[in-house]
């Protein structure tokens, strides 16, 4: 049920934000997780239309470029994804979103993506929920002094 709810929410978001490539990307990912073939096909067509309009009008931000790169990588259009991610990086080399988009573009083309992910984690440490990026594992808990140790009875 969670996947179906995510699909419903992301579809609503995409409808209310017709120019948002991020909203469309969320809908594509949710459709995939929900195994919703029709929604995936419709979402793909809508995503490509939104990206085409952005190509005509010019991408307004590095974030739009990065999101369009992620959509293209998702659709296995790795060369186009790589080119868009590179444009986003050129606009702002300190953008974690742009570097994650490059990692996804490289991965979709079966290329080594580790350097791009390492750069992303350096320029913008990955945090829970940041544009759907990969999440670093939580740090190991630190034991308080005296915690977890037994002392011999006196």
């Amino acid at each position: 049920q969670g996947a179906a709810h995510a699909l419903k929410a992301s579809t609503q978001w995409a409808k209310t934000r017709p120019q948002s490539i991020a909203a469309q990307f969320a809908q594509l990912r949710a459709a995939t997780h929900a195994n919703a073939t029709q929604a995936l096909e419709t979402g793909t067509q809508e995503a490509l239309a939104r990206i085409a309009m952005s190509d005509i009008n010019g991408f307004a931000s590095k974030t739009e470029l990065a999101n369009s790169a992620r959509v293209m990588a998702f659709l296995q259009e790795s060369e186009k994804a790589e080119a868009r991610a590179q444009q986003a990086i050129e606009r702002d080399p300190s953008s974690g979103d742009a570097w994650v988009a490059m990692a996804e573009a490289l991965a979709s083309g079966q290329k080594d993506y580790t350097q791009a992910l390492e750069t992303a984690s350096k320029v913008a440490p990955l945090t829970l929920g940041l544009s759907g990026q990969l999440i670093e594992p939580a740090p190991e808990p630190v034991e308080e002094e005296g915690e977890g140790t037994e002392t011999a009875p006196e």
Side-chain angles (χ1 to χ4, degrees):
Q1 281 230 352
H5 287 295
L7 177 57
K8 184 177 179 181
S10 62
T11 299
Q12 184 60 34
W13 183 34
K15 285 180 182 176
T16 60
R17 304 272 321 267
Q19 301 304 316
S20 174
I21 295 168
Q24 195 62 57
F25 180 60
Q27 185 183 23
L28 288 173
R29 293 198 44 155
T32 300
H33 292 295
N35 292 318
T37 307
Q38 182 61 42
L40 185 59
E41 289 174 11
T42 301
T44 298
Q45 292 169 1
E46 290 174 4
L48 293 174
R50 289 176 195 209
I51 290 171
M53 286 305 297
S54 292
D55 282 341
I56 292 168
N57 298 328
F59 287 94
S61 69
K62 66 180 183 289
T63 303
E64 283 184 353
L65 277 166
N67 286 330
S68 70
R70 296 181 82 189
V71 169
M72 298 312 283
F74 182 82
L75 299 175
Q76 299 299 307
E77 295 282 348
S78 56
E79 288 181 18
K80 291 178 183 177
E82 231 177 294
R84 290 169 195 282
Q86 185 60 45
Q87 288 176 323
I89 290 167
E90 287 169 3
R91 284 197 185 178
D92 183 1
S94 67
S95 169
D97 284 336
W99 284 104
V100 168
M102 179 59 83
E104 290 178 358
L106 293 169
S108 75
Q110 305 296 314
K111 296 179 183 177
D112 182 24
Y113 58 87
T114 54
Q115 183 63 44
L117 270 185
E118 287 173 9
T119 303
S121 67
K122 288 176 187 169
V123 299
L126 304 178
T127 56
L128 193 61
L130 179 63
S131 301
Q133 296 175 3
L134 300 174
I135 301 167
E136 290 182 343
E140 293 295 319
V142 178
E143 284 189 24
E144 296 292 321
E145 191 174 311
E147 189 177 284
T149 59
E150 293 185 30
T151 56
E154 292 181 26

